[in-house]
Amino acid sequence: MTKTLSVSAIKNGTVIDHIPAAQALKILKLLQIGTHKNCVTLGLNLVSKSLGLKDLIKIENRILTDTEANEVTVFAPKATINIIENFDIVKKITTRFPDSIVGVFTCANPVCITQTEAIKTHFYLEEYGKQIKLTCRYCEEQFDRDHLVALSAAL
Amino acid sequence: MAKHKTCGKLIMNNTLYGTDIISIADLQLDQINHILKTAAQLKAKPAPDLLQHKIIANCFFEPSTRTRLSFETAALRLGARVIGFSDAENTSIKKGESLHDSIKIIANYADLIVIRHTHAGAARLAADVANKPVINAGDAANQHPTQALLDLFTIKECQQKIAGLNIALTGDLKYGRTIHSLIQLLALFDIRLFLIAPEALSLSEQFANHLKKKGIKFSFHQSIEDVIHKLDILYMTRIQQERFTPLEYQTFTEHYALNPACLHKAKPNLKILHPLPRVNEIPMSIDNTPHAYYFEQAANGIWVRQALLNLLLNK
């Protein structure tokens, strides 16, 4: 039987795989994909052995920086991020959780100053065992990563 | 270590000069000790000219009695002049001006800004914006660092040490900004904590995790009487009525009020502290016992705030 790809290959660019289902659109927003002209291929709810369902993003002609790749892990902790050149993987980016993330999440504290002033939110990340906690730089309240990810709007 | 001459005395290198006091989390242990030492020096020997020609802006976007008057007194007694406001009603905020712009402008008028605000993180934003030192005088349920510092100064003053003390915190441990700051501050020392609160006002997971991370031994309790015989410090806080139904509030306040009869079990050195205002947590009959120390604590606010103003404005 011929094996077919659900999502077509790209010649040059970045492939982000093993994204938990429903997070790909949030990652597109994080990477500000909407503002560039490159071809982007998106796979939603693909079958995955490890995740059950997963999302996949292929971005033509854009190489993610290490900082961008680390920010992706806030939405997709087990993501694999590969750089493609001439259809081959030339680099697998080793990711780690960033120390902080700016302007991505909305603070869940209704009396945080970020709710009323025109300023970018800023969270510090910390790992507590298997849990990822984000602490707002302003109101200093701590939230579960999953809570803020669930609150964040896609696109 | 580099030394600066100040008021004819050699002091440690002042790493607080020109900085902000926003959160206890920002402070190093040596800076905290420097603040306590400076406060003790000022209490022993007042220095009325330390801030001559300086202007302090007291920006209270939320009403306050003790903190505002304490900062104002501290500044005046160091020779500074004070400008400011005691609520946001008569400011440009009411016209829709952002806090960002208000602070940017006030920073042009004053040498240091003291801010209290209804929104958590307002002081952090003010510090980002202002080109002058900013002191957080309370930002919603987040932080009240100067209260925690004066609490620590008072603990050291009345017990002659901090390390090794058994300290109980009672009342609203969940939403109280004073408790948040004090927990972070006490976690820098080798102390034992007893946390006494109704479940609905118990210490949050965030602060419990912080204590664990710092290796502080702590335990949860439902009654002051259960632990009073072990304590060196009983730190009481007010339970805020608006958080509960009238029946719940009455139950909690009765249960978590200090019963004068239980003081016969207390150690002779036990001191009772409270950031004030008290409602009915501490009956007035306790005021005249040797254990009451909350009025001395309130008075210490002047010296600790003088120390902060001096250290932030003088090299």
Side-chain angles (χ1 to χ4, degrees):
Chain A
M1 196 173 91
T2 310
K3 196 177 175 185
T4 56
L5 290 172
S6 308
V7 181
S8 59
I10 58 169
K11 186 177 181 186
N12 296 303
T14 305
V15 174
I16 310 171
D17 199 356
H18 299 109
I19 301 167
Q23 300 305 318
L25 295 176
K26 294 174 184 176
I27 292 172
L28 291 182
K29 185 182 177 190
L30 168 77
L31 298 174
Q32 299 179 322
I33 296 296
T35 60
H36 82 154
K37 302 292 180 195
N38 295 322
C39 175
V40 176
T41 311
L42 190 63
L44 300 177
N45 297 321
L46 306 176
V47 175
S48 160
K49 279 183 189 169
S50 57
L51 296 173
L53 291 176
K54 69 171 183 179
D55 291 351
L56 173 75
I57 300 171
K58 297 187 176 189
I59 312 164
E60 198 91 47
N61 297 324
R62 176 161 166 193
I63 308 299
L64 292 197
T65 64
D66 287 350
T67 303
E68 287 172 328
N70 288 337
E71 287 183 352
V72 166
T73 64
V74 179
F75 290 96
K78 292 178 181 171
T80 51
I81 302 177
N82 295 328
I83 307 302
I84 309 294
E85 275 181 26
N86 204 22
F87 297 105
D88 287 330
I89 297 172
V90 294
K91 184 184 174 189
K92 294 185 176 204
I93 298 181
T94 306
T95 56
R96 65 170 184 83
F97 276 111
D99 297 328
S100 67
I101 189 158
V102 176
V104 174
F105 294 109
T106 301
C107 185
N109 178 357
V111 293
C112 178
I113 194 69
T114 58
Q115 305 281 2
T116 55
E117 292 281 318
I119 49 174
K120 284 184 177 176
T121 62
H122 187 156
F123 290 90
Y124 299 113
L125 281 84
E126 263 185 295
E127 292 187 64
Y128 285 88
K130 288 183 178 176
Q131 281 189 312
I132 305 297
K133 303 276 190 184
L134 284 84
T135 305
C136 174
R137 176 177 178 265
Y138 292 95
C139 72
E140 301 185 27
E141 197 159 323
Q142 198 174 64
F143 304 95
D144 285 336
R145 181 203 75 100
D146 294 348
H147 182 50
L148 292 187
V149 166
L151 285 180
S152 65
L155 293 179
Chain B
M1 183 179 281
K3 307 256 183 177
H4 297 293
K5 267 198 165 179
T6 301
C7 303
K9 288 183 180 178
L10 283 174
I11 62 164
M12 287 191 300
N13 188 18
N14 179 12
T15 58
L16 289 161
Y17 173 68
T19 63
D20 310 295
I21 304 291
I22 305 303
S23 171
I24 293 297
D26 302 336
L27 293 172
Q28 304 298 314
L29 186 57
D30 61 337
Q31 293 177 317
I32 291 161
N33 287 327
H34 196 178
I35 294 164
L36 300 189
K37 192 176 173 186
T38 306
Q41 285 171 343
L42 286 164
K43 187 171 183 178
K45 189 179 178 187
D49 301 325
L50 273 181
L51 294 186
Q52 261 194 344
H53 311 301
K54 299 288 185 189
I55 295 176
I56 309 299
N58 255 353
C59 302
F60 281 69
F61 294 88
E62 181 186 70
S64 156
T65 309
R66 268 159 304 281
T67 307
R68 184 172 63 83
L69 293 178
S70 166
F71 263 112
E72 195 163 333
T73 306
L76 293 171
R77 289 201 185 281
L78 290 176
R81 282 168 291 170
V82 179
I83 60 171
F85 48 88
S86 56
D87 66 61
E89 284 302 310
N90 299 317
T91 69
S92 292
I93 293 283
K94 279 285 154 192
K95 299 175 192 165
E97 185 175 58
S98 66
L99 177 67
H100 173 282
D101 286 1
S102 296
I103 294 297
K104 196 106 185 147
I105 291 157
I106 295 165
N108 290 324
Y109 303 153
D111 298 292
L112 182 147
I113 296 171
V114 177
I115 179 171
R116 169 170 286 193
H117 203 278
T118 51
H119 279 68
R124 179 75 66 194
L125 172 63
D128 289 347
V129 170
N131 58 354
K132 304 288 170 56
V134 173
I135 297 179
N136 183 4
D139 58 336
N142 180 28
Q143 284 275 320
H144 197 350
T146 65
Q147 176 69 47
L149 287 164
L150 80 87
D151 294 339
L152 189 70
F153 177 82
T154 305
I155 290 169
K156 192 175 181 186
E157 178 183 74
C158 67
Q159 300 291 347
Q160 299 299 308
K161 62 175 185 177
I162 300 169
L165 294 178
N166 285 337
I167 299 173
L169 308 177
T170 78
D172 183 352
L173 307 187
K174 189 170 187 176
Y175 301 104
R177 58 187 169 209
T178 298
I179 290 291
H180 293 162
S181 293
L182 187 57
I183 288 257
Q184 287 178 328
L185 193 51
L186 292 174
L188 297 170
F189 297 87
D190 177 23
I191 50 106
R192 167 74 162 90
L193 277 180
F194 299 84
L195 305 169
I196 308 165
E199 207 174 323
L201 294 177
S202 191
L203 194 69
S204 69
E205 186 193 6
Q206 176 179 353
F207 285 93
N209 282 340
H210 182 76
L211 290 174
K212 282 181 200 163
K213 200 171 165 183
K214 294 286 181 182
I216 299 297
K217 201 173 172 191
F218 65 99
S219 50
F220 295 96
H221 303 271
Q222 293 293 314
S223 160
I224 296 170
E225 289 194 48
D226 291 348
V227 296
I228 192 139
H229 61 286
K230 297 178 182 175
L231 303 179
D232 302 299
I233 296 288
L234 173 59
Y235 190 98
M236 304 193 68
T237 61
R238 180 170 58 93
I239 291 177
Q240 292 175 38
Q241 194 168 356
E242 61 272 23
R243 296 199 186 280
F244 299 99
T245 64
L247 183 63
E248 282 175 328
Y249 178 71
Q250 190 185 344
T251 308
F252 287 151
T253 50
E254 282 172 8
H255 189 72
Y256 290 93
L258 180 57
N259 177 2
C262 83
L263 283 176
H264 76 271
K265 291 191 224 165
K267 289 160 67 174
N269 68 313
L270 170 76
K271 296 294 180 202
I272 302 161
L273 305 184
H274 193 301
L276 304 177
R278 65 174 159 178
V279 182
N280 45 19
E281 308 84 66
I282 306 175
M284 288 179 77
S285 63
I286 289 176
D287 293 359
N288 295 323
T289 71
H291 301 298
Y293 210 74
Y294 26 89
F295 293 121
E296 289 86 342
Q297 176 191 6
N300 280 336
I302 302 287
W303 309 112
V304 171
R305 290 179 174 119
Q306 278 195 12
L308 288 168
L309 294 174
N310 177 44
L311 290 168
L312 265 53
L313 287 172
N314 286 323
K315 278 184 183 171

